[in-house]
Amino acid sequence: MKKRTFLKISSALMATPILSPLVSWASDDKLKNWAGNYQYSTDKLYKAKSIPQVQELVKKYSKLKVLGTRHCFNGIADSTNNLISLGEMDDVISLDTKAHTVTVDASMKYGQLAPYLDKKGFALHNLASLPHISIAGACATATHGSGVKNGNLSTAVAAMEIVTAKGEVRTLSRAKDGETFRAAVVHLGGLGVVTKVTLDIQPTFMMRQDVYENLPLAQLQQHFEAIVSSGYSVSLFTDWQKKRINEVWIKSRIEKGKTFDAKPEFYGAKRATKNLHPIAELSAVNCTEQMGVPGPWYERLPHFRMGFTPSSGKELQSEYFVPRKNAVEAILAVEKLNAHISPHLMITELRTIDADNFWMSPCYKQPSLAIHFTWKQDWASVKKVLPMIEKELAPFKARPHWGKLFTLAPAQLQSRYEKLPEFKQLMKEYDPQGKFRNAFLDTNLFGS
């Protein structure tokens, strides 16, 4: 990976021809997302290799949406008119070792950036389960990792560059733009085209990952905080059967004077004797190393290795965020539905995320528990189960993940975001004609 120089930018701009359709993703009859469950509404997909090209596209079309790594399971990135890809804009632009920040092209993937940072002696505070997702897309939807003291991935954003509906380039920063910045980071694709992101970084660190099997649900009820606080990042996997947590994944930083004591038993769970996949029946070959083996942060924080396809993609995903203070109640509420959930489920993951101050983040002003469902790819059945789950989680005002499947009524969803009126006003300021709005945003933010 090379640092981009101004000379490289200039020569690329002079050598680049006019905008052309990107046909590599559209080689099939229809363009689909990563899982194959969602078919996009247009085959007009254009690529931009530079900011001037992004500006040209934005000025040219009255309707436009950015399509990233296509890991969303719904229509948040869809358009019936035109799609734009910034996939070739994925370089490191600058590394500021004094400010402890890195600036990258928005389409860079975490799995690309992480090894580069590690070689330079730096790290990010957290990573999602998959390192295959783009930085811009993850931050736009408040995608997250885990940890009681770790905010979602967007909390690392120190600044961002965005092309607005008029084709103007604006830069927003945490240091200078206050509430506007806090409104714009989790923007749901509604403010413009993000072209650059500046992230906070920290000194690199080593980690280990230890897995335990069959944690009794009763132990989770009694010791929830101790269990989820037992490592830097902790994930609990359950199929909602036999009143147990199938697997507990504890990711711990290796620091001088501090050692994780991987005892044979952990709150009634037994330490695994081999690497495991979150779905125990599947091979762990594509999972990150376990068994307490030390490794760099970026090879332990995700569940899956960058060099492997994490699965066939034949799945659906839903996720709901509830206040961490209600975590046990929420888990027990969902557990009551096990007979309805289990036939259609591959696995559920429970993770904690710290609070943040981004207006449209599901973790806005609340430390949260995320209840994540990986479903079999049977939407007809899942569509019947989701309202049951949403009803059980209603007392906790659960907020769904923006990029995953939910059936919550727009009025209910909108009532759970206190800054939504102000966010819609900002959308009108940046995009007065609704160039970047689509059916998903019209329904969920503006619908009734």
Side-chain angles (χ1 to χ4, degrees), residues 10 36 64 122 133 162 185 212 236 267 280 295 311 319 395 420 436:
S10 300
L64 189 70
F122 293 99
I133 57 178
I162 187 168
V185 173
Y212 289 83
L236 311 175
Y267 293 96
S311 75
E319 187 170 32
L420 177 59
F436 301 110

mmCIF file of all heavy atoms in Angstrom, residues 10 36 64 122 133 162 185 212 236 267 280 295 311 319 395 420 436:
data_model
loop_
_atom_site.group_PDB
_atom_site.id
_atom_site.type_symbol
_atom_site.label_atom_id
_atom_site.label_comp_id
_atom_site.label_asym_id
_atom_site.label_seq_id
_atom_site.Cartn_x
_atom_site.Cartn_y
_atom_site.Cartn_z
ATOM 1 N N SER A 10 -2.368 14.432 -9.330
ATOM 2 C CA SER A 10 -2.401 15.280 -10.510
ATOM 3 C C SER A 10 -2.279 14.465 -11.790
ATOM 4 O O SER A 10 -3.026 14.668 -12.748
ATOM 5 C CB SER A 10 -1.261 16.304 -10.430
ATOM 6 O OG SER A 10 -1.406 17.109 -9.281
ATOM 7 N N GLY A 36 -26.896 -11.399 -1.574
ATOM 8 C CA GLY A 36 -27.746 -11.817 -2.670
ATOM 9 C C GLY A 36 -29.233 -11.692 -2.389
ATOM 10 O O GLY A 36 -30.059 -12.036 -3.228
ATOM 11 N N LEU A 64 -28.895 10.313 -7.194
ATOM 12 C CA LEU A 64 -27.634 9.579 -7.138
ATOM 13 C C LEU A 64 -27.454 8.973 -5.755
ATOM 14 O O LEU A 64 -27.787 9.604 -4.752
ATOM 15 C CB LEU A 64 -26.481 10.542 -7.432
ATOM 16 C CG LEU A 64 -25.081 9.956 -7.639
ATOM 17 C CD1 LEU A 64 -25.014 9.186 -8.954
ATOM 18 C CD2 LEU A 64 -24.054 11.094 -7.659
ATOM 19 N N PHE A 122 0.801 1.726 14.718
ATOM 20 C CA PHE A 122 -0.464 2.282 15.183
ATOM 21 C C PHE A 122 -1.605 1.280 15.062
ATOM 22 O O PHE A 122 -1.480 0.233 14.416
ATOM 23 C CB PHE A 122 -0.806 3.559 14.415
ATOM 24 C CG PHE A 122 0.138 4.697 14.705
ATOM 25 C CD1 PHE A 122 1.184 4.984 13.839
ATOM 26 C CD2 PHE A 122 -0.003 5.452 15.862
ATOM 27 C CE1 PHE A 122 2.068 6.024 14.104
ATOM 28 C CE2 PHE A 122 0.871 6.491 16.146
ATOM 29 C CZ PHE A 122 1.912 6.778 15.266
ATOM 30 N N ILE A 133 -15.484 -4.606 5.119
ATOM 31 C CA ILE A 133 -16.376 -3.478 4.871
ATOM 32 C C ILE A 133 -15.591 -2.178 4.714
ATOM 33 O O ILE A 133 -14.488 -2.027 5.240
ATOM 34 C CB ILE A 133 -17.415 -3.333 5.996
ATOM 35 C CG1 ILE A 133 -16.737 -3.170 7.359
ATOM 36 C CG2 ILE A 133 -18.347 -4.543 5.997
ATOM 37 C CD1 ILE A 133 -17.685 -2.972 8.517
ATOM 38 N N ILE A 162 -16.797 15.817 2.292
ATOM 39 C CA ILE A 162 -18.039 15.402 1.660
ATOM 40 C C ILE A 162 -18.351 16.307 0.465
ATOM 41 O O ILE A 162 -18.145 17.527 0.518
ATOM 42 C CB ILE A 162 -19.200 15.421 2.686
ATOM 43 C CG1 ILE A 162 -20.475 14.836 2.101
ATOM 44 C CG2 ILE A 162 -19.429 16.808 3.262
ATOM 45 C CD1 ILE A 162 -21.545 14.570 3.148
ATOM 46 N N VAL A 185 -21.638 12.685 10.891
ATOM 47 C CA VAL A 185 -20.801 11.483 10.840
ATOM 48 C C VAL A 185 -21.633 10.247 10.506
ATOM 49 O O VAL A 185 -21.309 9.476 9.602
ATOM 50 C CB VAL A 185 -20.025 11.295 12.156
ATOM 51 C CG1 VAL A 185 -19.294 9.948 12.156
ATOM 52 C CG2 VAL A 185 -19.016 12.424 12.340
ATOM 53 N N TYR A 212 -15.051 -19.804 25.258
ATOM 54 C CA TYR A 212 -15.656 -20.733 26.216
ATOM 55 C C TYR A 212 -16.992 -21.211 25.660
ATOM 56 O O TYR A 212 -17.690 -20.474 24.961
ATOM 57 C CB TYR A 212 -15.854 -20.050 27.566
ATOM 58 C CG TYR A 212 -14.554 -19.796 28.299
ATOM 59 C CD1 TYR A 212 -13.780 -18.682 28.005
ATOM 60 C CD2 TYR A 212 -14.095 -20.684 29.268
ATOM 61 C CE1 TYR A 212 -12.574 -18.448 28.654
ATOM 62 C CE2 TYR A 212 -12.892 -20.459 29.932
ATOM 63 C CZ TYR A 212 -12.138 -19.342 29.623
ATOM 64 O OH TYR A 212 -10.944 -19.131 30.273
ATOM 65 N N LEU A 236 -20.994 -12.775 22.686
ATOM 66 C CA LEU A 236 -21.736 -13.943 23.164
ATOM 67 C C LEU A 236 -22.585 -14.464 22.014
ATOM 68 O O LEU A 236 -23.369 -13.716 21.430
ATOM 69 C CB LEU A 236 -22.646 -13.556 24.340
ATOM 70 C CG LEU A 236 -22.017 -12.743 25.474
ATOM 71 C CD1 LEU A 236 -23.083 -12.333 26.485
ATOM 72 C CD2 LEU A 236 -20.921 -13.546 26.164
ATOM 73 N N TYR A 267 -17.583 -18.836 34.597
ATOM 74 C CA TYR A 267 -19.000 -18.738 34.980
ATOM 75 C C TYR A 267 -19.798 -19.961 34.502
ATOM 76 O O TYR A 267 -20.902 -19.840 33.970
ATOM 77 C CB TYR A 267 -19.613 -17.443 34.441
ATOM 78 C CG TYR A 267 -19.051 -16.207 35.088
ATOM 79 C CD1 TYR A 267 -18.017 -15.496 34.482
ATOM 80 C CD2 TYR A 267 -19.534 -15.755 36.318
ATOM 81 C CE1 TYR A 267 -17.483 -14.357 35.074
ATOM 82 C CE2 TYR A 267 -18.997 -14.624 36.928
ATOM 83 C CZ TYR A 267 -17.974 -13.930 36.306
ATOM 84 O OH TYR A 267 -17.438 -12.810 36.900
ATOM 85 N N ALA A 280 -21.143 -23.505 15.611
ATOM 86 C CA ALA A 280 -20.213 -24.571 16.000
ATOM 87 C C ALA A 280 -20.060 -25.659 14.936
ATOM 88 O O ALA A 280 -19.005 -26.278 14.829
ATOM 89 C CB ALA A 280 -20.667 -25.187 17.319
ATOM 90 N N GLY A 295 -1.491 -12.221 19.009
ATOM 91 C CA GLY A 295 -1.425 -11.725 17.646
ATOM 92 C C GLY A 295 -1.726 -10.238 17.610
ATOM 93 O O GLY A 295 -2.191 -9.663 18.603
ATOM 94 N N SER A 311 -18.399 -16.301 4.771
ATOM 95 C CA SER A 311 -19.401 -17.344 4.564
ATOM 96 C C SER A 311 -19.819 -17.280 3.105
ATOM 97 O O SER A 311 -19.307 -16.474 2.337
ATOM 98 C CB SER A 311 -20.624 -17.132 5.472
ATOM 99 O OG SER A 311 -21.410 -16.066 4.987
ATOM 100 N N GLU A 319 -30.544 -6.549 13.494
ATOM 101 C CA GLU A 319 -29.867 -6.198 14.740
ATOM 102 C C GLU A 319 -30.621 -5.075 15.430
ATOM 103 O O GLU A 319 -31.069 -4.126 14.788
ATOM 104 C CB GLU A 319 -28.426 -5.768 14.463
ATOM 105 C CG GLU A 319 -27.617 -5.542 15.724
ATOM 106 C CD GLU A 319 -26.135 -5.363 15.430
ATOM 107 O OE1 GLU A 319 -25.784 -4.833 14.356
ATOM 108 O OE2 GLU A 319 -25.315 -5.756 16.278
ATOM 109 N N PRO A 395 -40.586 -2.103 24.908
ATOM 110 C CA PRO A 395 -40.443 -1.381 26.183
ATOM 111 C C PRO A 395 -39.067 -0.730 26.363
ATOM 112 O O PRO A 395 -38.918 0.203 27.152
ATOM 113 C CB PRO A 395 -40.663 -2.475 27.236
ATOM 114 C CG PRO A 395 -41.478 -3.511 26.545
ATOM 115 C CD PRO A 395 -40.984 -3.510 25.127
ATOM 116 N N LEU A 420 -33.760 13.711 15.279
ATOM 117 C CA LEU A 420 -34.175 13.489 13.896
ATOM 118 C C LEU A 420 -34.690 14.763 13.222
ATOM 119 O O LEU A 420 -34.324 15.032 12.069
ATOM 120 C CB LEU A 420 -35.233 12.383 13.820
ATOM 121 C CG LEU A 420 -35.797 12.103 12.426
ATOM 122 C CD1 LEU A 420 -34.690 11.700 11.451
ATOM 123 C CD2 LEU A 420 -36.864 11.015 12.479
ATOM 124 N N PHE A 436 -29.888 12.951 -2.904
ATOM 125 C CA PHE A 436 -29.359 11.742 -2.267
ATOM 126 C C PHE A 436 -30.410 10.978 -1.462
ATOM 127 O O PHE A 436 -30.090 10.002 -0.782
ATOM 128 C CB PHE A 436 -28.186 12.100 -1.361
ATOM 129 C CG PHE A 436 -27.051 12.771 -2.090
ATOM 130 C CD1 PHE A 436 -26.775 14.110 -1.876
ATOM 131 C CD2 PHE A 436 -26.296 12.070 -3.016
ATOM 132 C CE1 PHE A 436 -25.736 14.738 -2.557
ATOM 133 C CE2 PHE A 436 -25.264 12.693 -3.702
ATOM 134 C CZ PHE A 436 -24.975 14.034 -3.469
#
